[in-house]
Amino acid sequence: YQSPDSYLRGGLTEWRAKARWQTLTNPYARQIQRSLSTNLIGPRGIQMRADVRLPAEERANDDPTPREQPKDPVRCMEIEKAWKRFITADCFDISGHRGFHQFELAIAESFPAAGGVLVRIHREAAGKSKSPICFELIPVDQLDEGFTRPSDIPGRHWRMGIEFDNRTGRRTRYAILRHHPGDNVAMRHPEPGDKYIFVPAADMLHIFIPEDVAQTRERPWLLSILTTIQNINSYEEAHWTRKRAINNMLGFIQKPEPDMPGSPDSTSGL
């Protein structure tokens, strides 16, 4: 019996490729992504509702217990307005491509095909934002599962692209590839640099749901039904092949002897 990571390290790249191909070409797999994002996130996304209570000095003397103190509508409105300004694509995403709602949808749709996603936290303001924080969405393909070796820092080790503390088992760093492994040389950024970017674990959110104890990396959710999807594809292909064969069947009516010119059965005018 092998460990969960041993199974993942041997076939994770291939499993992700097969699952992603099904979401691109198979309508049932694509519908799984849509249903997950629709039911988990919804059309408007997860809304923020501030719940700030009036401070003690601003409450009336005859107020009930602090547990029932009234809501502060002014402060709540200001917080919600600031949040709506921050979650725009210009302020929330360091690249300015996605807002908070697009992040939610991308994260939810990443589970069937990839098993999860990475979100990097940048401690700086993006765009017109005044808040010194923004985020970056990174596909899990750029977390190199083949990066397993001793660490250059004593007391740590690398396992499938993640650095762990030997004593506590806590994650300390992530080895992120500068380029997507599927990009060819012509698609890569021209600036030279190291192969990896080492990001502290405090600045990285590795979003996935582990299914086994001590599972380090994510597993595509479509992995367990890839065979079923392939059987459905084969069944539908056989079904439509049969329909095409039936519709292509032709019949010809031929008389034993041709009509003689001038006979009553002749179709010619002679």
Side-chain angles (χ1 to χ4, degrees):
Y1 175 74
Q2 295 182 344
S3 66
D5 285 349
S6 298
Y7 285 110
L8 292 175
R9 190 176 186 274
L12 186 56
T13 303
E14 182 181 359
W15 294 339
R16 277 199 304 258
K18 290 182 177 179
R20 187 173 287 114
W21 177 254
Q22 292 300 329
T23 59
L24 292 174
T25 59
N26 187 280
Y28 305 109
R30 178 60 184 142
Q31 185 60 32
I32 291 175
Q33 282 188 316
R34 293 196 188 98
S35 300
L36 183 62
S37 61
T38 301
N39 292 280
L40 184 63
I41 304 301
R44 297 181 57 196
I46 300 174
Q47 301 294 311
M48 198 275 284
R49 292 289 181 266
D51 190 16
V52 180
R53 300 294 171 170
L54 283 171
E57 59 271 12
E58 297 184 17
R59 287 187 286 116
N61 296 329
D62 57 347
D63 269 357
T65 60
R67 191 174 299 176
E68 302 175 359
Q69 58 186 332
K71 188 175 181 179
D72 188 343
V74 177
R75 291 185 175 90
C76 290
M77 186 180 299
E78 291 299 323
I79 292 174
E80 291 176 7
K81 287 182 178 179
W83 171 252
K84 289 181 179 179
R85 290 193 301 267
F86 174 68
I87 63 176
T88 59
D90 182 63
C91 300
F92 191 82
D93 188 358
I94 190 172
S95 63
H97 293 161
R98 296 182 178 91
F100 176 69
H101 184 45
Q102 285 73 30
F103 264 66
E104 293 178 308
L105 294 175
I107 291 171
E109 292 189 358
S110 69
F111 290 113
V117 72
L118 298 170
V119 177
R120 183 180 178 182
I121 304 173
H122 292 269
R123 314 289 177 171
E124 59 182 280
K128 299 178 181 179
S129 175
K130 297 181 181 180
S131 302
I133 189 172
C134 58
F135 303 89
E136 178 187 2
L137 204 60
I138 303 175
V140 291
D141 307 74
Q142 290 185 235
L143 183 58
D144 189 4
E145 59 265 13
F147 196 81
T148 301
R149 63 193 67 181
S151 176
D152 55 345
I153 301 177
R156 299 180 183 181
H157 68 280
W158 287 97
R159 186 182 181 92
M160 300 185 72
I162 305 173
E163 187 186 56
F164 291 89
D165 184 275
N166 294 341
R167 186 180 65 86
T168 63
R170 288 180 176 268
R171 302 180 180 218
T172 54
R173 285 189 298 174
Y174 286 80
I176 307 298
L177 292 168
R178 288 185 177 272
H179 305 285
H180 193 282
D183 285 345
N184 54 31
V185 178
M187 296 291 294
R188 295 179 180 178
H189 199 275
E191 290 186 4
D194 298 332
K195 184 178 180 180
Y196 298 97
I197 300 175
F198 298 102
V199 182
D203 294 338
M204 184 68 71
L205 302 177
H206 189 188
I207 304 175
F208 77 104
I209 300 177
E211 302 174 9
D212 292 314
V213 179
Q215 180 181 336
T216 303
R217 294 297 302 271
E218 65 290 331
R219 183 186 302 169
W221 287 8
L222 290 180
L223 175 61
S224 57
I225 61 172
L226 283 177
T227 302
T228 303
I229 293 177
Q230 181 62 33
N231 291 336
I232 294 175
N233 292 340
S234 300
Y235 170 80
E236 290 190 345
E237 182 181 359
H239 171 77
W240 290 112
T241 301
R242 175 177 173 270
K243 289 292 184 180
R244 285 194 298 267
I246 292 176
N247 292 332
N248 287 332
M249 292 179 63
L250 303 177
F252 299 91
I253 300 176
Q254 184 177 2
K255 294 183 178 182
E257 295 180 1
D259 296 334
M260 296 297 294
S263 63
D265 298 331
S266 176
T267 57
S268 65
L270 297 178

